[in-house]
Each structure stands twice: as structure tokens, then as C-alpha cells.
Coordinates of all heavy atoms in Angstrom, one line a residue:
M1 N 0.8 -1.1 -0.1 CA 0.0 -0.1 0.0 C 0.8 1.2 0.0 O 1.6 1.4 0.9 CB -0.8 0.0 1.2 CG -2.0 1.0 1.4 SD -3.4 0.6 0.5 CE -4.5 2.0 1.0
P2 N 0.8 2.2 -1.1 CA 1.6 3.3 -1.0 C 1.4 4.2 0.1 O 0.3 4.4 0.5 CB 1.2 3.9 -2.4 CG 0.5 3.1 -3.1 CD 0.0 2.0 -2.3
N3 N 2.4 4.8 0.5 CA 2.4 5.8 1.7 C 2.4 7.2 1.2 O 3.5 7.7 0.7 CB 3.6 5.7 2.7 CG 3.6 6.5 3.8 OD1 2.5 7.2 4.1 ND2 4.9 6.7 4.4
F4 N 1.2 7.8 1.0 CA 1.1 9.1 0.3 C 1.4 10.3 1.4 O 0.8 10.2 2.5 CB -0.1 9.4 -0.5 CG -0.1 8.8 -1.9 CD1 -0.5 7.5 -1.8 CD2 0.4 9.4 -2.9 CE1 -0.6 6.7 -3.1 CE2 0.3 8.7 -4.2 CZ -0.1 7.4 -4.2
V5 N 2.2 11.3 1.1 CA 2.4 12.4 1.9 C 1.9 13.7 1.3 O 2.2 14.0 0.1 CB 4.1 12.5 2.2 CG1 4.4 13.6 3.0 CG2 4.6 11.3 2.7
R6 N 1.2 14.4 2.0 CA 0.7 15.6 1.7 C 1.8 16.7 1.5 O 2.7 16.7 2.4 CB -0.3 16.3 2.5 CG -0.9 17.5 2.2 CD -1.5 18.4 3.4 NE -2.0 19.7 2.7 CZ -1.4 20.8 2.5 NH1 0.0 20.8 2.5 NH2 -1.9 21.8 1.9
V7 N 1.9 17.3 0.3 CA 3.1 18.2 0.0 C 2.5 19.7 -0.2 O 3.2 20.6 0.1 CB 3.9 17.8 -1.2 CG1 4.7 16.5 -1.0 CG2 3.1 17.7 -2.3
A8 N 1.4 19.9 -0.8 CA 1.0 21.3 -1.2 C -0.5 21.3 -1.6 O -1.2 20.3 -1.7 CB 1.9 21.6 -2.6
S9 N -0.9 22.5 -1.7 CA -2.2 22.8 -2.4 C -2.0 23.0 -3.7 O -0.9 23.5 -4.2 CB -2.8 24.2 -1.7 OG -3.7 24.6 -2.4
V10 N -3.0 22.7 -4.5 CA -2.8 23.0 -6.0 C -2.6 24.5 -6.4 O -1.9 24.7 -7.5 CB -4.1 22.5 -6.8 CG1 -4.3 21.1 -6.7 CG2 -5.3 23.1 -6.3
T11 N -3.0 25.3 -5.5 CA -2.6 26.7 -5.9 C -1.2 27.1 -5.7 O -0.6 28.2 -6.3 CB -3.5 27.6 -5.0 OG1 -3.1 27.5 -3.6 CG2 -5.0 27.6 -5.2
E12 N -0.4 26.3 -5.1 CA 1.1 26.5 -5.0 C 2.0 26.2 -6.1 O 3.0 26.6 -6.3 CB 1.6 25.7 -3.8 CG 1.0 26.0 -2.4 CD 1.5 25.2 -1.3 OE1 2.7 24.7 -1.3 OE2 0.6 24.9 -0.4
I13 N 1.4 25.4 -7.1 CA 2.1 24.9 -8.4 C 1.2 25.3 -9.6 O 0.5 24.6 -10.0 CB 2.4 23.6 -8.3 CG1 3.0 23.0 -6.9 CG2 3.5 23.1 -9.3 CD1 3.2 21.6 -6.8
P14 N 1.5 26.5 -10.0 CA 0.7 27.0 -11.3 C 1.1 26.1 -12.5 O 2.1 25.6 -12.5 CB 1.1 28.4 -11.5 CG 1.6 28.8 -10.2 CD 2.2 27.7 -9.6
P15 N 0.3 26.0 -13.5 CA 0.6 25.3 -14.9 C 2.0 25.7 -15.2 O 2.2 27.0 -15.4 CB -0.6 25.7 -15.7 CG -1.7 25.9 -14.9 CD -1.1 26.6 -13.6
G16 N 2.8 24.7 -15.7 CA 4.1 25.0 -16.2 C 5.2 25.4 -15.4 O 6.2 25.6 -15.6
Q17 N 4.8 25.0 -14.0 CA 5.8 25.2 -12.9 C 6.0 24.1 -12.1 O 5.4 23.1 -12.1 CB 5.4 26.6 -12.1 CG 5.4 27.9 -12.9 CD 5.2 29.0 -12.1 OE1 5.8 29.0 -10.9 NE2 4.7 30.1 -12.6
A18 N 7.0 24.3 -11.2 CA 7.3 23.2 -10.3 C 7.8 23.6 -8.9 O 8.2 24.8 -8.9 CB 8.4 22.3 -10.8
R19 N 7.7 22.8 -7.9 CA 8.2 23.1 -6.6 C 8.9 21.9 -6.1 O 8.5 20.8 -6.4 CB 7.1 23.5 -5.7 CG 6.4 24.8 -6.0 CD 7.1 26.1 -5.7 NE 6.2 27.2 -6.1 CZ 6.1 27.8 -7.4 NH1 6.8 27.4 -8.3 NH2 5.4 28.7 -7.4
A20 N 9.9 22.0 -5.1 CA 10.6 20.9 -4.6 C 10.0 20.8 -3.2 O 9.8 21.7 -2.4 CB 12.1 21.1 -4.6
Y21 N 9.9 19.5 -2.7 CA 9.4 19.2 -1.4 C 10.3 18.0 -0.8 O 10.7 17.2 -1.7 CB 7.9 18.9 -1.4 CG 7.0 19.8 -2.0 CD1 6.7 19.8 -3.2 CD2 6.5 20.9 -1.2 CE1 5.8 20.8 -3.9 CE2 5.8 21.9 -1.6 CZ 5.4 21.9 -3.0 OH 4.7 22.8 -3.6
I22 N 10.4 18.0 0.5 CA 10.9 16.8 1.0 C 9.7 15.8 1.4 O 8.8 16.1 2.0 CB 11.7 17.1 2.4 CG1 12.6 18.1 2.3 CG2 12.1 15.9 3.2 CD1 13.8 17.7 1.4
V23 N 9.9 14.6 0.9 CA 9.0 13.5 1.0 C 9.7 12.4 1.6 O 10.5 11.6 1.1 CB 8.2 13.2 -0.3 CG1 7.3 12.0 -0.1 CG2 7.7 14.3 -0.9
G24 N 9.5 12.1 3.0 CA 10.2 11.0 3.7 C 11.7 11.4 3.6 O 12.0 12.6 4.0
D25 N 12.5 10.6 3.0 CA 14.0 11.0 3.1 C 14.4 11.4 1.7 O 15.7 11.5 1.5 CB 14.7 9.8 3.5 CG 14.6 8.5 2.8 OD1 13.8 8.4 1.9 OD2 15.3 7.6 3.1
R26 N 13.5 11.8 0.7 CA 13.7 12.1 -0.6 C 13.4 13.7 -0.7 O 12.4 14.1 -0.2 CB 13.0 11.3 -1.6 CG 13.1 9.7 -1.2 CD 14.6 9.2 -1.5 NE 14.9 9.3 -3.0 CZ 14.7 8.4 -4.0 NH1 14.2 7.2 -3.5 NH2 15.1 8.6 -5.2
E27 N 14.1 14.3 -1.8 CA 13.6 15.5 -2.2 C 13.1 15.3 -3.5 O 13.7 14.7 -4.6 CB 14.9 16.5 -2.4 CG 14.3 17.9 -2.7 CD 15.5 19.0 -2.5 OE1 16.5 18.7 -1.7 OE2 15.3 20.0 -3.0
V28 N 11.8 15.6 -3.8 CA 11.0 15.4 -4.8 C 10.4 16.7 -5.5 O 10.1 17.6 -4.8 CB 9.8 14.6 -4.4 CG1 8.7 14.4 -5.7 CG2 10.1 13.2 -3.9
A29 N 10.6 16.7 -6.9 CA 10.1 17.9 -7.7 C 8.6 17.6 -8.2 O 8.5 16.5 -8.7 CB 11.1 18.3 -8.7
V30 N 7.7 18.4 -7.8 CA 6.3 18.2 -8.3 C 6.0 19.2 -9.4 O 6.1 20.5 -9.2 CB 5.4 18.4 -7.3 CG1 3.9 18.1 -7.6 CG2 5.8 17.4 -6.0
F31 N 5.7 18.8 -10.7 CA 5.4 19.7 -11.8 C 4.0 19.7 -12.1 O 3.2 18.7 -12.0 CB 6.2 19.1 -13.0 CG 7.6 19.0 -12.8 CD1 8.2 17.9 -12.1 CD2 8.4 19.9 -13.4 CE1 9.6 18.0 -12.0 CE2 9.8 20.0 -13.2 CZ 10.5 19.0 -12.5
N32 N 3.6 20.9 -12.6 CA 2.2 20.9 -13.1 C 2.3 21.0 -14.6 O 2.8 22.0 -15.2 CB 1.6 22.2 -12.4 CG 0.2 22.3 -13.0 OD1 -0.4 21.9 -14.0 ND2 -0.7 23.2 -12.3
V33 N 1.9 20.0 -15.4 CA 1.9 20.0 -16.7 C 0.3 20.1 -17.2 O -0.3 19.2 -17.2 CB 2.4 18.6 -17.4 CG1 2.4 18.7 -18.8 CG2 3.9 18.4 -16.8
E34 N 0.0 21.2 -17.5 CA -1.3 21.6 -17.9 C -2.4 21.0 -17.1 O -3.3 20.5 -17.5 CB -1.5 21.1 -19.5 CG -0.5 21.8 -20.3 CD -0.5 21.3 -21.8 OE1 -1.4 20.3 -22.0 OE2 0.3 21.7 -22.5
G35 N -2.2 21.2 -15.7 CA -3.1 20.7 -14.7 C -3.0 19.4 -14.3 O -3.6 18.9 -13.4
A36 N -2.1 18.6 -14.8 CA -1.7 17.1 -14.3 C -0.5 17.3 -13.5 O 0.6 18.0 -14.1 CB -1.7 16.2 -15.4
Y37 N -0.4 16.7 -12.4 CA 0.8 16.8 -11.6 C 1.7 15.6 -11.6 O 1.2 14.4 -11.7 CB 0.2 17.0 -10.1 CG -0.5 18.4 -9.8 CD1 -1.8 18.4 -10.1 CD2 0.2 19.6 -9.7 CE1 -2.5 19.6 -10.0 CE2 -0.3 20.8 -9.5 CZ -1.9 20.7 -9.7 OH -2.5 22.0 -9.6
H38 N 2.9 15.7 -11.7 CA 3.8 14.8 -11.8 C 5.0 14.9 -10.9 O 5.4 16.2 -10.7 CB 4.4 14.6 -13.2 CG 3.4 14.3 -14.3 ND1 2.9 13.1 -14.4 CD2 2.7 15.2 -15.0 CE1 1.8 13.3 -15.5 NE2 1.7 14.6 -15.7
A39 N 5.6 13.8 -10.4 CA 6.6 13.9 -9.3 C 7.9 13.2 -9.7 O 7.7 11.9 -10.0 CB 6.1 13.6 -8.0
I40 N 9.0 13.8 -9.8 CA 10.2 12.9 -10.0 C 11.3 13.4 -9.0 O 11.1 14.5 -8.3 CB 10.9 13.2 -11.3 CG1 11.2 14.6 -11.6 CG2 9.9 12.6 -12.4 CD1 11.9 14.9 -13.0
E41 N 12.4 12.6 -8.8 CA 13.4 13.0 -7.9 C 14.0 14.5 -8.3 O 14.1 14.7 -9.6 CB 14.5 11.9 -8.1 CG 15.6 12.0 -7.1 CD 16.6 10.8 -7.4 OE1 16.2 9.9 -8.1 OE2 17.7 10.9 -7.1
N42 N 14.2 15.3 -7.2 CA 14.7 16.7 -7.6 C 16.1 16.7 -8.1 O 16.6 17.6 -8.9 CB 14.5 17.6 -6.4 CG 14.7 19.0 -6.9 OD1 14.2 19.5 -8.0 ND2 15.3 19.8 -6.0
G43 N 16.9 15.8 -7.6 CA 18.4 15.9 -7.9 C 18.6 15.2 -9.2 O 18.5 14.1 -9.5
C44 N 19.3 16.1 -10.1 CA 19.7 15.5 -11.5 C 20.9 14.5 -11.3 O 21.7 14.8 -10.5 CB 20.2 16.8 -12.4 SG 20.8 16.3 -14.0
P45 N 20.8 13.4 -12.1 CA 21.8 12.5 -11.8 C 23.2 12.8 -12.4 O 24.2 12.2 -12.0 CB 21.3 11.2 -12.7 CG 20.2 11.8 -13.5 CD 19.7 13.0 -13.0
H46 N 23.3 13.9 -13.1 CA 24.6 14.3 -13.7 C 25.4 14.9 -12.4 O 26.4 14.2 -12.0 CB 24.3 15.5 -14.7 CG 25.6 16.0 -15.2 ND1 25.8 17.3 -15.7 CD2 26.8 15.3 -15.6 CE1 27.0 17.4 -16.0 NE2 27.6 16.2 -16.0
Q47 N 25.0 16.0 -11.9 CA 25.8 16.7 -10.9 C 24.8 17.2 -9.7 O 25.3 18.1 -9.0 CB 26.7 17.7 -11.3 CG 27.8 17.1 -12.1 CD 28.9 18.0 -12.7 OE1 28.8 19.4 -12.3 NE2 29.8 17.7 -13.3
G48 N 23.6 16.8 -9.7 CA 22.7 17.1 -8.6 C 21.9 18.4 -8.8 O 21.4 19.0 -7.9
G49 N 21.8 18.9 -10.1 CA 21.1 20.1 -10.3 C 19.6 20.0 -9.9 O 19.1 18.9 -10.0
P50 N 19.1 21.1 -9.5 CA 17.7 21.1 -8.9 C 16.8 21.0 -10.0 O 16.4 22.1 -10.7 CB 17.6 22.3 -8.1 CG 18.6 23.2 -8.7 CD 19.7 22.5 -9.4
L51 N 16.2 20.0 -10.4 CA 15.2 19.9 -11.6 C 14.0 20.6 -11.4 O 13.4 21.3 -12.4 CB 14.9 18.4 -11.8 CG 16.0 17.5 -12.3 CD1 15.5 16.2 -12.3 CD2 16.7 18.1 -13.6
A52 N 13.6 21.0 -10.2 CA 12.3 21.8 -10.1 C 12.6 23.2 -10.5 O 11.6 23.9 -10.6 CB 12.0 21.8 -8.5
E53 N 13.9 23.6 -10.7 CA 14.2 25.0 -11.0 C 14.5 25.1 -12.5 O 15.0 26.0 -13.0 CB 15.4 25.4 -10.4 CG 15.1 25.7 -8.8 CD 16.4 26.1 -8.0 OE1 17.1 26.7 -8.6 OE2 16.2 25.8 -6.9
G54 N 14.3 23.8 -13.2 CA 14.5 23.8 -14.7 C 13.3 24.3 -15.5 O 12.2 24.6 -15.0
R55 N 13.5 24.5 -16.7 CA 12.6 24.9 -17.7 C 11.6 23.9 -18.1 O 12.1 22.9 -18.5 CB 13.2 25.7 -18.9 CG 12.1 26.3 -19.9 CD 12.8 27.2 -20.9 NE 14.0 26.3 -21.6 CZ 13.7 25.4 -22.6 NH1 12.6 25.1 -23.0 NH2 14.8 24.8 -23.1
L56 N 10.3 24.0 -18.0 CA 9.3 23.0 -18.4 C 8.9 23.3 -19.7 O 8.2 24.3 -19.8 CB 8.2 22.9 -17.2 CG 7.3 21.6 -17.4 CD1 8.1 20.4 -17.2 CD2 6.2 21.8 -16.3
D57 N 8.9 22.5 -20.6 CA 8.4 22.5 -21.9 C 7.4 21.3 -22.2 O 8.0 20.1 -22.4 CB 9.3 22.6 -23.0 CG 8.9 22.9 -24.4 OD1 7.7 23.3 -24.6 OD2 9.7 22.8 -25.2
G58 N 6.1 21.5 -22.1 CA 5.2 20.3 -22.0 C 5.6 19.4 -20.8 O 5.9 19.9 -19.8
P59 N 5.8 18.0 -21.0 CA 6.3 17.3 -19.9 C 7.8 17.2 -19.7 O 8.3 16.3 -19.0 CB 5.7 15.8 -20.4 CG 5.7 15.8 -21.8 CD 5.5 17.4 -22.2
I60 N 8.5 17.9 -20.5 CA 10.0 17.8 -20.6 C 10.6 19.0 -19.7 O 10.4 20.1 -19.9 CB 10.5 17.8 -22.0 CG1 10.1 16.7 -22.8 CG2 12.1 17.6 -21.9 CD1 10.2 15.3 -22.3
V61 N 11.5 18.5 -18.8 CA 12.1 19.6 -17.9 C 13.6 19.5 -18.3 O 14.1 18.4 -18.6 CB 12.0 19.2 -16.4 CG1 12.6 17.9 -15.9 CG2 12.5 20.5 -15.6
T62 N 14.2 20.8 -18.5 CA 15.6 20.9 -18.8 C 16.3 21.3 -17.5 O 16.0 22.3 -16.9 CB 15.8 22.0 -19.9 OG1 14.9 21.6 -21.1 CG2 17.3 22.1 -20.1
C63 N 17.3 20.5 -17.1 CA 18.1 20.8 -16.0 C 18.7 22.1 -15.9 O 19.3 22.5 -17.0 CB 19.1 19.8 -15.7 SG 20.2 20.0 -14.1
P64 N 18.6 22.9 -14.9 CA 19.1 24.4 -15.1 C 20.7 24.4 -15.1 O 21.2 25.5 -15.3 CB 18.5 25.0 -13.9 CG 18.3 23.9 -12.9 CD 17.9 22.7 -13.6
W65 N 21.3 23.4 -14.7 CA 22.7 23.3 -14.7 C 23.4 23.1 -16.0 O 24.4 23.9 -16.5 CB 23.3 22.6 -13.6 CG 23.1 23.1 -12.2 CD1 22.4 24.2 -11.9 CD2 23.4 22.5 -10.9 NE1 22.3 24.3 -10.5 CE2 23.0 23.3 -10.0 CE3 24.3 21.4 -10.6 CZ2 23.4 23.2 -8.6 CZ3 24.5 21.1 -9.3 CH2 24.0 22.1 -8.3
H66 N 23.2 22.0 -16.7 CA 23.9 21.6 -17.9 C 22.9 21.1 -19.0 O 23.3 20.4 -19.8 CB 25.0 20.6 -17.7 CG 25.8 20.9 -16.4 ND1 25.7 20.4 -15.4 CD2 26.9 21.8 -16.2 CE1 26.6 20.8 -14.3 NE2 27.2 21.7 -14.9
A67 N 21.6 21.2 -18.8 CA 20.6 21.1 -19.9 C 20.3 19.7 -20.2 O 19.7 19.4 -21.3 CB 21.0 21.8 -21.1
W68 N 20.6 18.7 -19.2 CA 20.0 17.4 -19.6 C 18.5 17.5 -19.4 O 18.0 18.2 -18.6 CB 20.5 16.4 -18.5 CG 22.0 15.8 -18.6 CD1 22.9 16.6 -19.3 CD2 22.6 14.8 -17.9 NE1 24.1 15.8 -19.3 CE2 24.0 14.8 -18.5 CE3 22.2 13.9 -17.2 CZ2 24.9 13.7 -18.1 CZ3 23.0 12.8 -16.8 CH2 24.5 12.9 -17.2
C69 N 17.9 16.7 -20.2 CA 16.4 16.7 -20.3 C 15.7 15.5 -19.8 O 16.1 14.4 -20.1 CB 16.0 17.1 -21.5 SG 16.6 18.7 -22.2
F70 N 14.6 15.6 -19.0 CA 14.0 14.5 -18.5 C 12.3 14.6 -18.7 O 11.9 15.8 -18.7 CB 14.1 14.3 -17.0 CG 15.6 14.1 -16.6 CD1 16.5 15.2 -16.5 CD2 16.1 12.9 -16.3 CE1 17.9 15.1 -16.2 CE2 17.4 12.7 -16.2 CZ 18.3 13.7 -16.0
D71 N 11.8 13.5 -18.9 CA 10.3 13.3 -19.0 C 9.8 13.3 -17.6 O 10.1 12.3 -16.9 CB 9.8 12.1 -19.8 CG 8.4 12.2 -20.1 OD1 7.6 12.7 -19.3 OD2 8.0 11.7 -21.2
V72 N 9.0 14.4 -17.2 CA 8.5 14.3 -15.8 C 7.4 13.2 -15.6 O 7.1 13.0 -14.4 CB 8.0 15.8 -15.3 CG1 9.1 16.8 -15.5 CG2 6.8 16.1 -16.1
T73 N 6.9 12.7 -16.7 CA 5.8 11.6 -16.4 C 6.4 10.4 -15.9 O 5.7 9.6 -15.4 CB 4.9 11.5 -17.5 OG1 5.7 10.9 -18.7 CG2 4.3 12.8 -17.9
D74 N 7.7 10.1 -16.4 CA 8.2 8.7 -16.0 C 9.7 8.8 -15.4 O 10.4 7.8 -15.2 CB 8.2 7.8 -17.1 CG 8.9 8.2 -18.4 OD1 9.6 9.3 -18.4 OD2 8.6 7.6 -19.5
G75 N 10.3 10.0 -15.4 CA 11.7 10.3 -15.0 C 12.7 9.8 -16.0 O 13.8 10.0 -15.6
K76 N 12.5 9.4 -17.2 CA 13.5 9.1 -18.2 C 14.2 10.3 -18.7 O 13.4 11.1 -19.3 CB 12.8 8.2 -19.2 CG 12.5 6.7 -18.7 CD 11.9 5.8 -19.6 CE 11.5 4.6 -19.1 NZ 10.6 3.9 -19.7
M77 N 15.5 10.1 -18.9 CA 16.2 11.1 -19.6 C 15.8 10.9 -21.1 O 15.6 9.9 -21.7 CB 17.7 10.9 -19.5 CG 18.5 12.0 -20.0 SD 20.2 11.5 -20.0 CE 20.9 13.0 -20.6
T78 N 15.6 12.2 -21.8 CA 15.2 12.1 -23.2 C 16.2 11.4 -24.1 O 16.0 10.8 -25.0 CB 14.9 13.5 -23.8 OG1 16.0 14.3 -23.6 CG2 13.8 14.2 -23.0
M79 N 17.5 11.5 -23.7 CA 18.6 10.9 -24.5 C 18.7 9.4 -24.1 O 19.5 8.6 -24.8 CB 19.9 11.6 -24.2 CG 19.9 12.9 -24.8 SD 21.5 13.8 -24.6 CE 22.7 12.8 -25.6
G80 N 18.1 9.0 -23.1 CA 17.8 7.5 -22.9 C 18.8 6.8 -22.0 O 18.6 5.7 -21.6
F81 N 19.9 7.4 -21.6 CA 21.0 6.6 -20.9 C 20.8 6.7 -19.4 O 21.6 5.9 -18.8 CB 22.5 6.9 -21.5 CG 22.8 8.2 -21.2 CD1 23.4 8.7 -20.0 CD2 22.9 9.2 -22.2 CE1 23.8 10.0 -19.8 CE2 23.2 10.4 -22.2 CZ 23.8 10.8 -20.9
T82 N 20.0 7.4 -18.8 CA 19.8 7.4 -17.5 C 18.4 7.8 -17.1 O 17.6 8.3 -18.0 CB 20.8 8.2 -16.7 OG1 20.7 8.0 -15.3 CG2 20.6 9.8 -16.9
S83 N 18.0 7.9 -15.8 CA 16.6 8.3 -15.5 C 16.7 8.8 -14.0 O 17.7 8.6 -13.2 CB 15.5 7.2 -15.6 OG 16.0 6.1 -14.7
V84 N 15.6 9.4 -13.5 CA 15.5 9.6 -12.1 C 14.4 8.9 -11.6 O 13.4 8.5 -12.5 CB 15.4 11.2 -11.8 CG1 16.6 11.9 -12.2 CG2 14.2 11.8 -12.6
D85 N 14.1 8.7 -10.3 CA 13.0 8.0 -9.8 C 11.7 8.9 -10.1 O 11.8 10.2 -10.0 CB 13.2 7.8 -8.3 CG 14.0 6.7 -8.0 OD1 14.2 5.8 -9.0 OD2 14.5 6.6 -6.9
A86 N 10.7 8.2 -10.4 CA 9.4 8.9 -10.4 C 8.4 8.4 -9.3 O 8.5 7.3 -8.9 CB 8.7 8.6 -11.9
F87 N 7.5 9.3 -9.0 CA 6.7 8.9 -7.7 C 5.3 9.2 -8.1 O 5.0 10.1 -8.8 CB 7.0 9.9 -6.5 CG 8.5 9.8 -6.1 CD1 9.5 10.4 -6.7 CD2 8.7 9.0 -4.9 CE1 10.7 10.3 -6.4 CE2 10.1 8.9 -4.5 CZ 11.1 9.6 -5.1
D88 N 4.3 8.3 -7.7 CA 2.9 8.5 -8.0 C 2.5 9.8 -7.3 O 2.9 10.1 -6.1 CB 2.1 7.3 -7.4 CG 2.3 6.1 -8.5 OD1 2.6 6.4 -9.7 OD2 2.2 4.9 -7.9
V89 N 1.4 10.5 -7.7 CA 0.8 11.7 -7.2 C -0.7 11.4 -7.1 O -1.3 10.9 -8.0 CB 1.2 12.9 -8.1 CG1 0.4 14.1 -7.6 CG2 2.7 13.1 -8.3
Q90 N -1.1 12.0 -6.0 CA -2.7 11.8 -5.7 C -3.2 13.3 -5.6 O -2.5 14.0 -4.8 CB -3.1 11.1 -4.5 CG -3.3 9.7 -4.6 CD -3.8 9.1 -3.4 OE1 -3.7 9.7 -2.4 NE2 -4.1 7.9 -3.5
V91 N -4.3 13.7 -6.2 CA -4.9 14.9 -5.8 C -6.2 14.7 -5.4 O -7.1 14.0 -6.0 CB -4.9 15.8 -7.1 CG1 -5.7 17.2 -6.8 CG2 -3.6 16.2 -7.8
E92 N -6.6 15.2 -4.2 CA -7.8 15.0 -3.5 C -8.3 16.3 -3.2 O -7.7 17.0 -2.3 CB -7.8 14.1 -2.4 CG -7.5 12.7 -2.7 CD -7.4 11.8 -1.5 OE1 -6.7 12.1 -0.5 OE2 -8.0 10.6 -1.4
G93 N -9.3 16.9 -3.8 CA -9.8 18.2 -3.5 C -8.7 19.2 -4.0 O -8.3 19.2 -5.1
S94 N -8.3 20.0 -3.2 CA -7.2 20.9 -3.6 C -5.8 20.5 -2.9 O -4.8 21.3 -3.1 CB -7.4 22.3 -3.0 OG -7.6 22.4 -1.7
T95 N -5.6 19.2 -2.5 CA -4.5 18.7 -1.8 C -3.7 17.9 -2.7 O -4.3 16.8 -3.4 CB -4.9 18.1 -0.5 OG1 -5.4 18.9 0.3 CG2 -3.5 17.5 0.1
I96 N -2.3 18.0 -2.9 CA -1.5 17.2 -3.7 C -0.7 16.4 -2.7 O 0.0 16.9 -1.8 CB -0.6 18.1 -4.6 CG1 -1.3 19.0 -5.5 CG2 0.4 17.1 -5.3 CD1 -0.5 20.1 -6.2
S97 N -0.6 15.1 -3.0 CA 0.1 14.2 -2.2 C 0.9 13.3 -3.0 O 0.7 13.1 -4.2 CB -0.8 13.2 -1.3 OG -1.7 14.0 -0.4
V98 N 2.1 13.0 -2.6 CA 3.2 12.3 -3.4 C 3.6 11.1 -2.5 O 3.7 10.9 -1.3 CB 4.4 13.2 -3.5 CG1 5.7 12.3 -4.2 CG2 4.1 14.2 -4.4
S99 N 3.7 9.9 -3.3 CA 4.1 8.7 -2.6 C 5.5 8.7 -2.1 O 6.3 9.4 -2.8 CB 4.0 7.5 -3.7 OG 4.5 6.5 -3.1
A100 N 5.6 8.3 -0.9 CA 7.0 8.3 -0.2 C 8.0 7.2 -1.0 O 9.2 7.5 -0.6 CB 6.9 8.1 1.2
D101 N 7.3 6.3 -1.7 CA 8.2 5.4 -2.3 C 8.1 5.5 -3.9 O 7.1 5.8 -4.4 CB 7.7 3.9 -2.0 CG 7.6 3.8 -0.4 OD1 8.6 3.9 0.1 OD2 6.5 3.3 0.1
P102 N 9.4 5.5 -4.5 CA 9.3 5.7 -5.9 C 8.5 4.5 -6.7 O 8.4 3.5 -6.1 CB 10.8 5.7 -6.3 CG 11.5 5.1 -5.2 CD 10.7 5.2 -4.0
R103 N 8.0 4.9 -7.8 CA 7.3 3.9 -8.7 C 8.4 2.9 -9.2 O 9.4 3.3 -9.3 CB 6.9 4.7 -9.8 CG 5.7 4.0 -10.7 CD 5.2 4.9 -11.8 NE 4.7 6.3 -11.3 CZ 4.8 7.4 -12.2 NH1 5.5 7.4 -13.4 NH2 4.4 8.5 -11.8
T104 N 8.0 1.7 -9.2 CA 9.0 0.6 -9.7 C 8.6 0.2 -11.1 O 7.5 0.3 -11.6 CB 8.8 -0.6 -8.7 OG1 7.4 -1.1 -8.7 CG2 9.4 -0.2 -7.5
Ligands
LIG1 S1 23.5 18.7 -13.1 FE1 21.9 18.5 -14.3 S2 22.6 18.4 -16.4 FE2 24.4 18.6 -15.0

């Protein structure tokens, strides 16, 4: 049974933007892609850049440090050779919750 942790109200993450939150022992970036919320590990696997501060173009976020790109819906790097963990997101009313455990 997934352990969901409340992180935000929907008003805190406007469309096309993201915020980072601590969920359990992980730092997770939550993105709003045209009203759908997606969560991935915040730290870029290259050198730890904060993905929540990257530019979001549709479901693709560009790392603000050296421009590696990731699909926020599944955490996969667009060039394909690495990925970040992705986490399930629940929205109930105006509350966004994120699974404390990464999707497998
Ligand atoms: S730290 Fe993200 S591309 Fe280098």
C-alpha cells in the first residue's frame, strides 16, 4: 500500500511550474503539466542540479545546470541513458500528495 504524503495545495504550483518538497527521506520535484501533476526526484543524476528549477516545456524539464532533459511523467532522460525516480501523485480536492516510495 503506497504511503502518500501531503506536500502542497494545487494553488502553490501553477501550470508550467514546479516546486521541490521533502517527502520522507527524498527531495521530490512536483510539476504541473497543464493541470496534471507529476513527481520525480529533484536531484539531477549528472551533478545534482535542482530539476524543480528547470525550464518545463510540455512534460520535458531541462536541468538548469547543464541542460540534461527528463520526461517528468516517468523520470526518463530524453537521451535515454539514465533516469531519475518517479513517484505517484494523488490529488484530492485541492491537496496534492506524493508517494514516499518511488514507482517501480
Ligand atoms: S547537473 Fe543536471 S545536467 Fe548537469
Side-chain angles (χ1 to χ4, degrees):
M1 185 89 177
N3 176 24
F4 282 90
V5 176
R6 181 198 181 283
V7 294
S9 163
V10 292
T11 57
E12 294 173 38
I13 314 173
Q17 296 191 28
R19 301 282 184 273
Y21 302 96
I22 300 297
V23 178
D25 59 356
R26 310 290 296 269
E27 189 169 343
V28 173
V30 181
F31 297 84
N32 180 339
V33 180
E34 298 172 4
Y37 297 90
H38 302 279
I40 60 174
E41 186 176 347
N42 191 41
C44 177
H46 181 216
Q47 292 182 359
L51 295 176
E53 296 176 23
R55 182 173 49 84
L56 188 61
D57 184 11
I60 305 300
V61 64
T62 301
C63 179
W65 287 6
H66 316 98
W68 286 17
C69 296
F70 298 88
D71 187 328
V72 303
T73 67
D74 60 12
K76 292 185 178 156
M77 186 187 186
T78 56
M79 289 176 67
F81 59 82
T82 190
S83 63
V84 292
D85 283 338
F87 299 79
D88 287 334
V89 176
Q90 268 184 353
V91 179
E92 291 178 316
S94 62
T95 299
I96 302 170
S97 300
V98 173
S99 173
D101 303 307
R103 208 180 288 152
T104 53

